[in-house]
Amino acid sequence: MARILRFDASSLLLLLLLVVSAPLVLGQSNCHSHGTVQYCDGPDGKESPVTAAPAATGTIDGPAATTTSPIAAECHFHAGVEHCGDDHEEPTAAANGKGNCHFHAGVEHCVGDGEEAHEANGSCDRVNRDYNIPLRIGALFVILVTSAIGSFGPMLTKKFTRVSLDGYVFTVFKQFGTGVIIATAYVHLLTHAELLLNNKCAGSLKYESTVGAVAMAGIFVTFVIEYFSHRLVDSQKKKKATARSSSESSVTASGGSAKPPGDTVAAEEGSVGEHVVVDNTRSVAIMEAGIIFHSILIGIVLVVAGDSFFVTLFIVIIFHQMFEGFALGTRIAALPRSTTTRLTKLIMAAVFALITPIGMAIGLGVLDRFNGNDRETILALVTLDSISAGILVWVGLVDMLAHDWIFGYLKNARPLKVAVGMGGLLAGMILMSLLGKWA
């Protein structure tokens, strides 16, 4: 019995040595399994598939075969991130036109049962499809009406009702819009840009933080614009104050009476109020610029999406445009007529309502040539998405969130108004983040 035990132990040791040394005999090392395929690092240091791993563990069948064991699916590192198990993408039924296909940021991904997503057909060539053109033309007008309802709605509500801009109703609208803008920047734009760069057709970029860096550039450009605009407004205010003081001095010297102190204080307060108004107008204009970039891309992506996903994406974008329209429309409606004419407000709302249908019209024009897997197209979309994200991050966090809550009318508001505003803010963030699952 002892001899049998010794024989079994020695056999097990010999088998273990053969398992470890087999890849080295073949000039390979650092072997690990992914599904039914075993990968080893060759003499040149490159990882390559060796052979299909045998179903039974711990067996050897000739020099070309390799062994596998329950611990063969070992872990390794890529760019400082540990990967274990079946991380390699392998040909699947989806690559042959089977499985479930869906779209992310204008790029089609197909998924087989229990498999990970990969680019359609494993190719960067354009995928030819039969598009339902009448359906897309009809959707264009629906998006136009929906966007118009969102952007013009708050202005109509203000005009035909007695709702106060600082009341509970407008507080909900404004804070809901703030949440929508913040979620659009982080959940939609930045996520879309990252998804596009993960497409193998984009190639490998030497700088892995491209999306974050471009978004930071958008933030910086927005900051510079606002900073110098502040300086310009302050300079104009000082010139007006100097001219007013000179005028009052000349009146006093000629024997006239100067303005009462109260009038001077009122004039100074008016100039300060004008400063705030100008800042709000500029902030709304910058916010709309960021939304315009994003909305054009939305229109193009919607049209070029395949028919299998078009209806779902269309429904999601209807709500997306309505939410963004409310976010912009409430800020436009809050601009006073003393510095922003009604015509200017109507133009700002109309631009938002038209921009996504314009993007859809562009998509219809290039429908037979658009390739979402083209490298130049991907990098262009990544750049626009990232810049828009940076603009909306600044506008959402600084001009909207901090402006209302830290320095604005909600700073010392009643607890009920704070609760209502916080509820609207969270609702905007949550609903827009939920839409990020599809668009």
Side-chain angles (χ1 to χ4, degrees):
M1 183 67 179
R3 179 178 297 177
I4 295 175
L5 290 175
R6 285 197 300 273
F7 174 78
D8 290 342
S10 61
S11 299
L12 182 60
L13 179 60
L14 177 60
L15 180 61
L16 182 59
L17 290 174
L18 289 173
V19 169
V20 174
S21 62
L24 300 177
V25 173
L26 297 175
Q28 297 163 328
S29 61
N30 188 25
C31 297
H32 47 277
S33 296
H34 297 286
T36 60
V37 179
Q38 187 165 5
Y39 293 80
C40 293
D41 291 343
D44 57 355
K46 294 183 179 180
E47 183 181 79
S48 60
V50 179
T51 183
T57 60
T59 62
I60 303 178
D61 187 14
T66 56
T67 61
T68 176
S69 67
I71 61 172
E74 59 190 68
C75 299
H76 54 285
F77 287 83
H78 288 305
V81 180
E82 186 176 18
H83 297 264
C84 297
D86 190 11
D87 286 342
H88 282 271
E89 295 177 353
E90 302 174 13
T92 63
N96 296 322
K98 300 178 182 179
N100 299 320
C101 294
H102 52 283
F103 287 79
H104 287 309
V107 179
E108 186 177 22
H109 298 258
C110 294
V111 183
D113 295 335
E115 297 162 350
E116 295 184 0
H118 59 86
E119 282 73 28
N121 303 323
S123 172
C124 298
D125 296 332
R126 181 181 176 276
V127 180
N128 294 318
R129 301 184 185 87
D130 292 328
Y131 293 100
N132 189 336
I133 302 299
L135 177 62
R136 284 161 171 74
I137 294 176
L140 186 152
F141 290 99
V142 174
I143 293 294
L144 174 63
V145 173
T146 304
S147 301
I149 291 174
S151 59
F152 286 100
M155 286 190 291
L156 296 176
T157 301
K158 177 187 174 184
K159 180 176 178 57
F160 296 105
T161 64
R162 295 183 178 180
V163 176
S164 172
L165 293 178
D166 293 335
Y168 291 100
V169 175
F170 250 81
T171 295
V172 172
F173 283 170
K174 291 175 67 176
Q175 300 314 311
F176 180 85
T178 300
V180 166
I181 294 299
I182 295 173
T184 298
Y186 285 103
V187 178
H188 291 253
L189 295 175
L190 291 177
T191 301
H192 284 186
E194 292 288 354
L195 282 171
L196 285 168
L197 281 187
N198 287 334
N199 182 359
K200 68 175 186 179
C201 299
S204 59
L205 298 180
K206 294 182 179 179
Y207 188 65
E208 296 179 348
S209 302
T210 299
V211 171
V214 176
M216 184 173 62
I219 294 174
F220 179 75
V221 170
T222 308
F223 156 73
V224 169
I225 292 174
E226 292 216 8
Y227 172 73
F228 284 104
S229 297
H230 273 285
R231 290 179 64 96
L232 178 62
V233 171
D234 287 340
S235 176
Q236 293 175 347
K237 184 180 67 173
K238 290 179 181 179
K239 290 180 180 179
K240 291 180 180 180
T242 302
R244 185 170 56 249
S245 300
S246 300
S247 176
E248 291 174 358
S249 299
S250 62
V251 170
T252 304
S254 62
S257 59
K259 290 184 179 180
D263 292 345
T264 304
V265 173
E268 292 177 354
E269 290 179 351
S271 63
V272 174
E274 183 181 356
H275 185 182
V276 175
V277 168
V278 171
D279 288 348
N280 287 340
T281 304
R282 182 180 58 252
S283 298
V284 173
I286 293 175
M287 177 176 68
E288 184 165 13
I291 292 175
I292 284 175
F293 287 135
H294 175 44
S295 297
I296 291 177
L297 299 183
I298 285 179
I300 296 174
V301 168
L302 174 60
V303 170
V304 301
D307 286 350
S308 61
F309 188 63
F310 177 81
V311 175
T312 301
L313 185 60
F314 171 60
I315 295 173
V316 171
I317 288 181
I318 285 178
F319 289 99
H320 180 282
Q321 290 302 106
M322 185 175 292
F323 292 163
E324 274 194 349
F326 274 119
L328 180 62
T330 52
R331 299 290 166 167
I332 294 175
L335 297 176
R337 286 187 295 176
S338 59
T339 57
T340 308
T341 64
R342 182 176 299 174
L343 178 60
T344 301
K345 294 181 181 180
L346 293 176
I347 291 175
M348 295 176 71
V351 168
F352 172 80
L354 291 171
I355 198 65
T356 300
I358 289 175
M360 294 178 68
I362 294 173
L364 287 170
V366 300
L367 196 58
D368 295 332
R369 300 181 300 276
F370 181 84
N371 180 12
N373 287 325
D374 178 71
R375 188 174 190 271
E376 287 72 19
T377 300
I378 291 174
L379 295 181
L381 293 176
V382 168
T383 302
L384 290 176
D385 274 341
S386 301
I387 291 176
S388 299
I391 294 174
L392 294 187
V393 163
W394 174 273
V395 171
L397 296 180
V398 177
D399 290 338
M400 299 175 75
L401 190 66
H403 181 273
D404 290 341
W405 291 88
I406 307 300
F407 309 106
Y409 73 104
L410 291 174
K411 178 181 179 181
N412 297 312
R414 295 180 179 179
L416 180 58
K417 182 173 287 188
V418 170
V420 168
M422 195 69 69
L425 179 65
L426 291 176
M429 290 181 175
I430 293 172
L431 290 178
M432 205 63 175
S433 299
L434 180 62
L435 295 182
K437 177 177 175 59
W438 298 278

